[in-house]
Amino acid sequence: MVNPIGSWVGFGYWGERVLSMVGIGIHWGILQYVLGLPFAAFILQLIYLRTKDKDYLRISKTLVKAMAIVFAVGAATGTLVEFGLIVVWPNVLTAVGKWLYFPMYAEVFAFIMEVMITYLLYYGWDKLSDVTRTILTFFAFIGPWYSGAMILSANAYMNVPTGLLPDYNATTGQWLYSLGYPKLLLDVPSAYVAILNVTKLESLGMTIKGTASDGVLVYVPVSIVNRLVYESFNHYTVNQSILKAVLNSNVLSNQAVLQTPVLNIVNAIMDSTVKYFGIYTYLFQSPDFIPTLLHSIGAGLVVTGFTMIAGFGTRYMSVKDEKYKKYLEKALKFSIVFSLIVIIYEGLIAGDMMGKTVAKYNPEKFAAIEGTQPGFTSIASLLHLDKAEAFLAYGSFSAHLPNYSQIPQLWGQLGNFGVNVSSYLPPLIVDYSYYAMVIVGVLLGFYALILTGYLLFKGVSKINRFWLYLAIPGAVLAQFASLMGWGTREIGRLPWIVYGVMTLNVGSTLNQPTLWQDILVSLFYTVIVIALIYTVYRFLWIPSKREVLEEVK
């Protein structure tokens, strides 16, 4: 009997993983509103410009107030997450910092834009002209989206490195490990090519693509890349390295070559590779970047939409003042339509792109998601979705889902040259997290569709209170679905930190966090979330109970 939780726990490094899960999870939960609230406020500004109905301006101002509150907390948690990356996974930045610096540096300018525009809008709202306010609101959502793009470029690379050739053929249903796949395209400098035995390299699965300005473009099996990265961070020299086995015979006695640190060689190869792809665009060329960006923005919009339904819908049920009631009806109507549109986009467009990318470039993760392991009860098999999933992933009902049971446990290892990883099989628990996200997403779609049906045929005032009572659970479930999606993405990559390049043990800190430190950090984040909820309650909910429309100019 397969134990999906046990396989997840078995990867170890729980001190670091708990810190990352808690920090990133809380930050992502808050960040989604920073992505969604200003966009919704911008749409409302456009509606106001067209209709001159000040209620839409009031709704927009309310969302801007909420954005200012969550942005302040999101900025603080984001800073904690970035410091956590440096402290908890220091070798990740050592390995990829040379080409990670540009998006991270560019993100600073996005952050400055967010700070300036958020508080210009908040404090200068009544002093700005309609057009100026609309323009600022436009940049209020462009800033977070731009910031998110920079951060997500790094995460996309960690899931699908630029130049990756996948290791699965869906037409035949065959894994391609025996041919050396998956492989990474690297630009090996000519100086190193001259001392390497090409015949031996080709026997290990390397294939030559062509030449670059000062090197040779080679598709290198990730098992070799993984081993070389391991050797780099364990202070190997060429004499101790697998590289010695592929040296030309005329350099085997050259002590200068044999005593060269492997880290120097790996750095030179990666520097040359990044230069070949473009130092400013290397991360953005990951096949995972665009789908990840669109899917993440969509998640933020969905969470924002259903939270707006919860806020305005719950307040609407107890309102007494007729004028204020009309205002809430417009707010609720906008929230419902907005939510329906964005959840359709998230499921049918962004989600479809994301799923196809995972199926193509992370087939091991996809096999775990579909739970194609004998003895494991997968959600897909229970719902008889195998053929449908094959069609959605590969465009054909006759395509083969990747068979989890056919993945070698040490597929990422080069023969007997291991990196102290006991298993490269992603944990099957992602089958449950993925389908939890899908099922909840479908239910939320139906919920938005039912509410929209009331709008079309009966009006806001005729919505059954039962459906409005479901608004708050709906907002909670939207957050749950989003976190399950993010969890599937990150857990499904185990044991890799950077897929095909770096494993957990290579990237982790020597100063392992203890249980009490994990608990303390978790409590700190919990206090932050409680303080945020209370602040929103004090600044937005309590004033609304007076049922007085705010004067807007």
Side-chain angles (χ1 to χ4, degrees):
M1 190 70 177
V2 178
N3 182 358
I5 297 178
S7 64
W8 176 40
V9 172
F11 284 112
Y13 298 94
W14 271 99
E16 297 99 312
R17 287 166 63 189
V18 167
L19 289 180
S20 294
M21 283 190 291
V22 172
I24 294 174
I26 296 296
H27 179 59
W28 175 238
I30 296 170
L31 178 63
Q32 292 174 100
Y33 295 112
V34 181
L35 294 172
L37 286 170
F39 180 74
F42 173 69
I43 301 300
L44 286 160
Q45 290 280 340
L46 295 180
I47 296 173
Y48 165 70
L49 287 179
R50 180 178 178 84
T51 64
K52 297 302 178 184
D53 186 337
K54 288 190 175 183
D55 280 343
Y56 291 108
L57 194 58
R58 293 184 178 97
I59 303 167
S60 181
K61 187 176 182 179
T62 298
L63 299 187
V64 168
K65 286 180 180 179
M67 178 187 70
I69 295 170
V70 296
F71 172 75
V73 181
T77 56
T79 303
L80 286 172
V81 168
E82 291 193 12
F83 276 109
L85 177 62
I86 296 170
V87 174
V88 178
W89 308 104
N91 287 347
V92 176
L93 289 183
T94 303
V96 303
K98 288 184 178 181
W99 56 91
L100 187 65
Y101 89 93
F102 173 70
M104 296 301 101
Y105 185 62
E107 198 272 337
V108 172
F109 291 94
F111 180 73
I112 292 172
M113 181 192 300
E114 292 175 77
V115 172
M116 291 176 58
I117 292 175
T118 297
Y119 295 104
L120 275 174
L121 277 173
Y122 184 82
Y123 290 106
W125 184 274
D126 292 326
K127 299 177 178 64
L128 299 170
S129 69
D130 293 341
V131 174
T132 302
R133 191 189 306 110
T134 303
I135 292 172
L136 282 177
T137 311
F138 171 78
F139 284 105
F141 82 81
I142 289 296
W145 289 16
Y146 163 39
S147 174
M150 298 302 103
I151 299 296
L152 290 171
S153 68
N155 186 263
Y157 177 84
M158 293 167 73
N159 280 274
V160 184
T162 303
L164 180 73
L165 286 183
D167 53 15
Y168 180 71
N169 186 326
T171 302
T172 62
Q174 292 180 320
W175 293 99
L176 307 177
Y177 300 121
S178 62
L179 301 177
Y181 291 87
K183 301 180 182 182
L184 273 178
L185 180 61
L186 301 176
D187 183 359
V188 182
S190 299
Y192 293 128
V193 174
I195 65 174
L196 296 173
N197 187 312
V198 176
T199 303
K200 290 182 179 179
L201 291 173
E202 289 178 336
S203 70
L204 293 173
M206 295 190 188
T207 52
I208 297 175
K209 178 185 178 184
T211 58
S213 58
D214 189 30
V216 177
L217 298 173
V218 183
Y219 283 110
V220 182
V222 301
S223 56
I224 296 176
V225 176
N226 181 27
R227 173 65 189 189
L228 290 176
V229 171
Y230 171 80
E231 293 179 352
S232 298
F233 286 100
N234 284 277
H235 314 294
Y236 279 55
T237 63
V238 172
N239 192 44
Q240 303 165 304
S241 169
I242 58 168
L243 290 173
K244 186 178 180 180
V246 293
L247 291 177
N248 281 324
S249 57
N250 63 332
V251 296
L252 285 174
S253 59
N254 188 325
Q255 290 301 309
V257 172
L258 295 178
Q259 296 306 314
T260 301
V262 175
L263 180 61
N264 291 3
I265 296 173
V266 171
N267 277 338
I269 292 173
M270 287 310 305
D271 288 349
S272 183
T273 301
V274 173
K275 184 178 179 181
Y276 167 75
F277 281 101
I279 59 174
Y280 298 117
T281 61
Y282 181 55
L283 295 185
F284 301 106
Q285 292 182 58
S286 164
D288 193 56
F289 172 61
I290 295 299
T292 295
L293 176 61
L294 296 179
H295 195 49
S296 298
I297 290 174
L301 297 178
V302 168
V303 169
T304 297
F306 283 94
T307 303
M308 289 192 301
I309 292 176
F312 292 121
T314 303
R315 189 69 197 87
Y316 179 74
M317 286 192 290
S318 60
V319 69
K320 296 179 176 60
D321 182 80
E322 282 300 318
K323 192 174 181 181
Y324 197 75
K325 186 175 184 179
K326 293 295 183 184
Y327 157 77
L328 288 175
E329 285 182 354
K330 294 172 187 176
L332 186 53
K333 181 178 179 180
F334 170 81
S335 302
I336 291 169
V337 175
F338 180 88
S339 297
L340 180 64
I341 292 172
V342 296
I343 202 167
I344 289 174
Y345 158 80
E346 178 72 342
L348 300 184
I349 300 175
D352 180 66
M353 289 179 64
M354 191 77 262
K356 284 181 168 64
T357 301
V358 171
K360 181 176 181 179
Y361 292 101
N362 295 140
E364 293 85 12
K365 182 193 294 186
F366 187 52
I369 286 173
E370 296 304 322
T372 54
Q373 166 71 30
F376 175 71
T377 304
S378 68
I379 304 300
S381 61
L382 285 176
L383 299 177
H384 304 289
L385 295 175
D386 296 3
K387 292 296 183 181
E389 288 291 346
F391 177 77
L392 291 173
Y394 303 114
S396 171
F397 288 109
S398 61
H400 300 270
L401 293 176
N403 192 324
Y404 187 90
S405 64
Q406 294 177 0
I407 306 174
Q409 186 164 324
L410 297 177
W411 69 266
Q413 179 173 301
L414 180 63
N416 295 323
F417 297 96
V419 297
N420 295 329
V421 173
S422 60
S423 174
Y424 288 84
L425 298 176
L428 287 164
I429 195 172
V430 296
D431 173 75
Y432 300 142
S433 60
Y434 172 77
Y435 278 100
M437 173 196 70
V438 171
I439 291 170
V440 170
V442 171
L443 291 175
L444 289 174
F446 279 120
Y447 178 59
L449 194 60
I450 290 169
L451 293 178
T452 304
Y454 272 101
L455 298 184
L456 292 174
F457 300 107
K458 294 185 177 181
V460 175
S461 62
K462 299 298 182 180
I463 296 177
N464 191 295
R465 293 177 74 87
F466 168 78
W467 299 110
L468 292 180
Y469 280 122
L470 292 179
I472 291 179
V476 174
L477 285 174
Q479 277 281 13
F480 171 78
S482 179
L483 289 173
M484 287 298 99
W486 194 259
T488 300
R489 176 181 179 83
E490 296 302 295
I491 296 170
R493 193 171 70 244
L494 293 173
W496 303 101
I497 294 178
V498 180
Y499 177 77
V501 177
M502 176 182 283
T503 48
L504 287 171
N505 60 318
V506 177
S508 66
T509 178
L510 294 176
N511 302 309
Q512 301 286 315
T514 60
L515 177 61
W516 73 265
Q517 289 171 327
D518 284 342
I519 293 173
L520 189 63
V521 171
S522 300
L523 288 174
F524 177 73
Y525 275 110
T526 302
V527 171
I528 288 178
V529 172
I530 293 172
L532 173 60
I533 294 172
Y534 179 73
T535 303
V536 172
Y537 172 77
R538 291 285 300 177
F539 281 84
L540 294 178
W541 186 258
I542 290 181
S544 73
K545 295 175 74 173
R546 294 195 297 266
E547 299 188 7
V548 177
L549 291 176
E550 186 176 358
E551 186 59 39
V552 291
K553 299 178 182 179

